[in-house]
Amino acid sequence: MQKLGLTQSLQQKLSPQQIQFIKLLQIPTAELEARVEEELEDNPTLEEGKEESDEVDNDEFDDTDSGDDDLDVDDYLRDDDFSGYKMQGDGDNEDKEMPIATHSTLTEQLINQLGYLKLDDRQFTIGKQLIGSIEGDGYIRREIEAIINDLAFSQNIETDLDEVEEILRKIQSFDPPGIAARDLQECLLLQLERRPDDQNVDVIVSKLIIEQCFEEFTKKHYSKIMKKLDLEDEEYVKDAIELIRKLNPKPGGSSSGLVRTQYLIPDFILENNNGELELALNSRNAPELRISRSYSEMLKAYDKSDKKDKKLKDTVSFVKQKLDSAKWFIDAIKQRQHTLLNTMRAILDYQYEYFLEGDESKLRPMILKDIADIIKMDISTVSRVANSKSIQTDFGIFPLKYFFSEGIATDSGEDVSSREVKNELKIIIEGEDKKKPLSDDKLEKLLKAKGYNIARRTVAKYREQLNLPVARLRKEL
């Protein structure tokens, strides 16, 4: 059985259809298309297309009550193993391996992402022209002025450098990270800017190296980098260089333009329309499916017959089974959409201040139970949505689990996000006297003085997560 992140005891309690729904809920948007295609191939009574209002309801031919038509998600997604679970970091309680088979070209993937933006026809044409200028390795090497001339001659669109570069910046926010860069330096910076841990010391130093010391970096003149950035500890440079080496210098993947990597396709699209946040489910999550009329009419004809032909009866029994399966699948897809939107709306409302501007300091502490209580569903339901879905915002694409964190109590009795505490800790350490760096005990007291009720061991943990060394290693002569 495919790994679902379910306990063995829970799997034994669930029906095959219930397990299938959990799979549907868990898979990301990019994989849903393959799942729908698989169902269409396997079930001849299921078709693509809008449902017809006068479609025959095959329930009238059902002599038994299956009890499986109505999907009560919460009843069978309840899993006590999640009761004390807090979503932190990457987590490893769910299956991370979600291979996606695709034959789409890089250009098709990018144009598809372009469609997520609210662009007018003119802007969309400019965007397509830019995407068409991306070479197989992911770079735009054609001068922007030349692209402007192409738009004027081939598309009859008069534009300027500012407008084209504004749309280019939007394309550069697409996946894969680093796409549509004009040179290697910009490609690496684009990838570093997309890092969710952008306050990490390694990320900060890496950006400084690429921005200010790119020539020294390419020539491996690390001593010159240390001198130029006024860094005394060579470990900072070593760690930053190691991070840079892990970036992808060819985000396009190949010279042929074929997609060879798994691109993150957002499940939700969030746009800020003059201060009004507009949430939408990626249209790929809403495939148009319907029951085959011809098979439904076959059942209707059988109902009017004498029903004595055993071969016909066996055939109709098979068709009835397939129709039930098709009807269940259509209902399951709809329930999946409903559950995804309900969960994301709750997260959006909870983290509303953050989603307005993308200011990380505005993130509130939030655990699975907070959202589960709002949508009145089990914690495991929220976990399965949050652990495999992502949202596209005006400031990047983020996995939903990014918005969950542990909380620290304050003197006023309120909780603040661990990210806020880490940021405060980082500010204190950056401002300390490097001749007399602060011990974890002193850091604890300073944070408590600012109203954060935090233990010394938590200070040490956060300091390590920020890649900040202990006091004696921070000391400067």
Side-chain angles (χ1 to χ4, degrees):
M1 182 177 290
Q2 180 181 346
K3 182 179 176 185
L4 297 175
L6 301 172
T7 61
Q8 186 173 359
S9 61
L10 183 62
Q11 288 189 27
Q12 291 171 350
K13 295 176 187 176
L14 304 179
S15 71
Q17 283 190 330
Q18 290 168 340
I19 292 176
Q20 285 301 314
F21 180 75
I22 292 175
K23 287 183 180 181
L24 275 178
L25 184 63
Q26 221 166 255
I27 61 176
T29 297
E31 198 173 340
L32 180 65
E33 290 180 332
R35 176 68 183 87
V36 171
E37 190 64 34
E38 177 186 318
E39 194 71 19
L40 286 167
E41 291 177 3
D42 184 62
N43 192 339
T45 69
L46 184 67
E47 297 179 343
E48 289 184 282
K50 292 183 179 180
E51 289 183 287
E52 300 176 21
S53 58
D54 59 344
E55 196 166 278
V56 177
D57 185 354
N58 63 294
D59 283 348
E60 63 183 282
F61 305 107
D62 196 358
D63 297 328
T64 61
D65 181 9
S66 68
D68 287 327
D69 287 340
D70 295 327
L71 289 172
D72 189 344
V73 184
D74 203 33
D75 280 351
Y76 59 81
L77 288 186
R78 192 173 304 283
D79 185 352
D80 293 338
D81 286 357
F82 285 89
S83 58
Y85 178 70
K86 287 186 176 183
M87 181 73 78
Q88 302 175 37
D90 290 334
D92 57 4
N93 70 307
E94 296 284 349
D95 185 7
K96 292 183 181 178
E97 296 181 0
M98 292 187 175
I100 299 174
T102 177
H103 300 289
S104 300
T105 65
L106 176 60
T107 300
E108 289 169 343
Q109 290 278 358
L110 293 171
I111 290 176
N112 189 37
Q113 293 178 71
L114 186 69
Y116 300 152
L117 306 178
K118 282 191 173 179
L119 302 177
D120 57 32
D121 291 343
R122 169 194 172 85
Q123 293 170 324
F124 190 80
T125 301
I126 294 173
K128 285 182 67 176
Q129 189 77 27
L130 284 166
I131 290 172
S133 301
I134 296 175
E135 298 179 14
D137 56 2
Y139 289 84
I140 289 183
R141 293 187 174 87
R142 190 166 171 76
E143 294 294 329
I144 298 298
E145 288 80 2
I147 295 175
I148 291 173
N149 290 335
D150 291 344
L151 285 163
F153 288 113
S154 63
Q155 305 293 340
N156 197 28
I157 291 179
E158 294 290 336
T159 184
D160 56 29
L161 190 62
D162 289 341
E163 183 179 24
V164 174
E165 288 199 336
E166 181 182 353
I167 296 173
L168 175 60
R169 283 192 292 273
K170 293 181 184 293
I171 294 172
Q172 288 176 338
S173 73
F174 293 171
D175 279 301
I179 200 68
R182 285 160 285 187
D183 54 39
L184 178 60
Q185 184 178 20
E186 186 176 36
C187 178
L188 298 177
L189 274 177
L190 287 170
Q191 292 177 63
L192 288 169
E193 287 166 1
R194 294 273 289 278
R195 300 274 305 195
D197 52 346
D198 60 354
Q199 295 304 308
N200 181 291
V201 172
D202 292 345
V203 177
I204 293 171
V205 175
S206 297
K207 286 181 182 177
L208 290 173
I209 290 173
I210 299 302
E211 286 174 343
Q212 301 179 25
C213 312
F214 187 70
E215 185 177 350
E216 289 84 352
F217 164 72
T218 59
K219 294 179 179 178
K220 298 183 179 181
H221 291 166
Y222 300 142
S223 59
K224 291 184 179 180
I225 292 175
M226 290 180 64
K227 185 176 180 180
K228 195 169 183 178
L229 296 181
D230 196 22
L231 295 172
E232 294 185 6
D233 190 342
E234 66 178 15
E235 289 301 315
Y236 284 137
V237 175
K238 286 182 179 179
D239 291 344
I241 296 295
E242 184 63 28
L243 172 59
I244 294 170
R245 283 175 176 165
K246 292 178 181 177
L247 302 177
N248 186 3
K250 293 184 178 181
S254 72
S255 58
S256 65
L258 291 177
V259 176
R260 294 195 178 184
T261 56
Q262 176 177 327
Y263 296 116
L264 181 63
I265 296 177
D267 303 86
F268 305 94
I269 314 297
L270 182 68
E271 293 187 342
N272 189 330
N273 189 1
N274 297 321
E276 291 290 326
L277 296 182
E278 299 177 354
L279 177 67
L281 192 61
N282 188 325
S283 60
R284 291 189 178 193
N285 283 291
E288 292 185 343
L289 300 171
R290 66 186 180 193
I291 302 293
S292 167
R293 173 176 288 276
S294 61
Y295 283 99
S296 295
E297 289 176 348
M298 179 191 297
L299 283 183
K300 194 171 184 178
Y302 171 73
D303 188 53
K304 295 177 181 178
S305 70
D306 59 13
K307 303 181 182 179
K308 291 180 180 178
D309 187 327
K310 186 178 184 305
K311 183 179 287 188
L312 177 60
K313 188 173 182 179
D314 289 343
T315 301
V316 169
S317 177
F318 170 79
V319 171
K320 174 63 176 68
Q321 182 183 9
K322 288 295 185 182
L323 283 170
D324 283 342
S325 177
K327 182 176 183 296
W328 177 88
F329 189 77
I330 291 171
D331 289 344
I333 291 290
K334 291 178 180 176
Q335 185 64 57
R336 179 183 187 273
Q337 297 165 19
H338 176 76
T339 304
L340 291 181
L341 272 176
N342 266 4
T343 305
M344 189 61 237
R345 284 193 184 110
I347 295 173
L348 174 60
D349 291 342
Y350 204 96
Q351 303 286 12
Y352 195 82
E353 291 300 316
Y354 166 80
F355 282 112
L356 279 174
E357 298 177 358
D359 183 351
E360 193 179 69
S361 67
K362 299 288 180 64
L363 274 175
R364 298 170 58 193
M366 183 176 74
I367 60 175
L368 295 173
K369 188 176 183 301
D370 294 325
I371 301 304
D373 288 345
I374 293 172
I375 65 175
K376 295 181 172 29
M377 298 190 81
D378 197 72
I379 291 174
S380 59
T381 305
V382 181
S383 173
R384 290 187 175 91
V385 172
N387 205 53
S388 58
K389 308 296 183 296
S390 61
I391 183 169
Q392 177 175 299
T393 70
D394 292 339
F395 35 88
I397 298 177
F398 299 89
L400 297 196
K401 59 187 175 183
Y402 172 75
F403 308 113
F404 291 83
S405 70
E406 47 189 349
I408 297 293
T410 63
D411 286 343
S412 62
E414 297 178 351
D415 276 354
V416 295
S417 169
S418 58
R419 291 188 180 91
E420 179 180 329
V421 182
K422 287 179 186 178
N423 188 55
E424 193 64 43
L425 176 63
K426 182 172 176 289
I427 290 171
I428 292 173
I429 292 177
E430 286 177 347
E432 70 185 356
D433 181 354
K434 295 304 179 186
K435 293 182 180 179
K436 296 180 181 179
L438 300 167
S439 66
D440 288 345
D441 285 328
K442 290 181 180 178
L443 291 170
E444 173 198 354
K445 290 173 183 175
L446 285 172
L447 286 169
K448 282 185 174 177
K450 291 178 176 287
Y452 301 110
N453 295 325
I454 189 169
R456 190 200 64 79
R457 63 180 179 275
T458 308
V459 172
K461 181 179 78 170
Y462 287 176
R463 178 179 50 71
E464 289 169 1
Q465 289 174 352
L466 289 168
N467 285 334
L468 295 172
V470 295
R472 61 184 176 80
L473 295 178
R474 301 199 306 273
K475 188 173 182 178
E476 298 177 1
L477 299 177

